[in-house]
């Protein structure tokens, strides 16, 4: 897909074709010492995408991978933004859930506010403030059962979420 003259141009012995066929982790190493390129790639590594091919087309990415690419872009910004996630861990492998929690923490550490609507206790137990709404869904829901830290929720006798959290924290 490249002309011979383009393929003859090399960076540290790698052609553009070599680079596009490498993983993000490998490209990070190829551009060792080039802080401008490495700063862009480090956010892909942070969200756990070091394994994808650098030249991989967007249409071959899973939904979770596409979401994490968007998150890596947001992580690279220095802004005070509000992020709202609705059930972001649905369908994620437990390993990817832990990666996602690290990304959320980085967003918060960068001065952003993050609101997560979630049922996954592995995510809930790490939140700063939990608002448990219930006690059920539909007509039997919509009331604030408890608001506070996960520890406070685990002590609330009316909180179903708190009862499950108590086992984890």
């Amino acid at each position: 897909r490249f002309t011979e003259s383009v393929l003859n141009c090399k960076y540290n012995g790698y052609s553009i074709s070599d680079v596009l066929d490498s993983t993000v982790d490998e490209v990070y190493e190829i551009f060792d010492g080039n802080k401008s390129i490495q700063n862009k790639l480090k956010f892909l590594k942070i969200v756990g995408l070091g394994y994808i091919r650098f030249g991989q087309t967007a249409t071959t990415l899973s939904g979770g991978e596409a979401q994490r690419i968007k998150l890596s872009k947001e992580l690279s910004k220095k802004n005070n933004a509000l992020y709202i996630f609705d059930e972001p861990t649905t369908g994620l492998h437990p390993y990817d859930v832990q990666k996602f929690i690290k990304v959320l923490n980085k967003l918060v550490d960068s001065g952003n506010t993050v609101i997560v609507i979630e049922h996954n206790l592995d995510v809930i137990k790490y939140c700063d403030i939990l608002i448990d709404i219930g006690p059920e869904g539909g007509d039997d829901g919509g009331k604030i059962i408890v608001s506070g830290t996960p520890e406070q929720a685990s002590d609330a006798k009316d909180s179903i979420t708190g009862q499950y959290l108590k086992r984890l924290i």
Side-chain angles (χ1 to χ4, degrees):
R1 80 186 202 199
F2 297 100
T3 65
E4 192 65 35
S5 62
V6 170
L7 290 173
N8 286 331
C9 294
K10 307 247 181 192
Y11 181 88
N12 288 341
Y14 295 91
S15 71
I16 184 66
S17 183
D18 296 331
V19 170
L20 291 175
D21 196 39
S22 300
T23 66
V24 169
D25 287 336
E26 292 166 342
V27 173
Y28 189 87
E29 295 303 319
I30 290 169
F31 288 94
D32 185 36
N34 187 322
K35 296 300 176 201
S36 176
I37 292 174
Q38 284 187 319
N39 282 338
K40 300 286 184 194
L41 295 174
K42 78 177 178 181
F43 294 104
L44 289 170
K45 291 168 63 72
I46 287 170
V47 298
L49 292 176
Y51 64 89
I52 64 170
R53 296 270 163 221
F54 194 66
Q56 189 170 339
T57 59
T59 56
T60 63
L61 298 171
S62 73
E65 289 168 335
Q67 183 181 46
R68 285 187 280 157
I69 285 176
K70 290 177 187 175
L71 281 173
S72 72
K73 182 179 177 184
E74 291 299 320
L75 282 172
S76 70
K77 296 177 181 178
K78 301 286 187 214
N79 58 2
N80 293 324
L82 169 65
Y83 295 94
I84 301 173
F85 297 94
D86 186 5
E87 301 285 352
T89 65
T90 300
L92 290 183
H93 184 277
Y95 173 80
D96 292 325
V97 170
Q98 292 306 311
K99 283 279 194 186
F100 184 73
I101 290 168
K102 289 179 183 178
V103 170
L104 293 178
N105 285 330
K106 289 217 174 269
L107 285 171
V108 171
D109 292 345
S110 296
N112 299 292
T113 299
V114 177
I115 297 172
V116 181
I117 301 159
E118 184 62 78
H119 288 91
N120 186 323
L121 293 172
D122 289 327
V123 175
I124 294 171
K125 71 182 180 183
Y126 288 108
C127 69
D128 294 326
I129 299 294
L130 166 89
I131 302 171
D132 188 8
I133 300 175
E136 298 293 334
D139 291 338
D140 294 329
K143 298 173 187 73
I144 295 178
I145 304 301
V146 64
S147 174
T149 66
E151 291 79 11
Q152 290 169 321
S154 70
D155 289 335
K157 63 181 178 176
D158 295 337
S159 172
I160 296 170
T161 302
Q163 293 170 20
Y164 287 98
L165 271 176
K166 191 178 258 327
R167 300 174 193 168
L168 291 178
I169 55 177

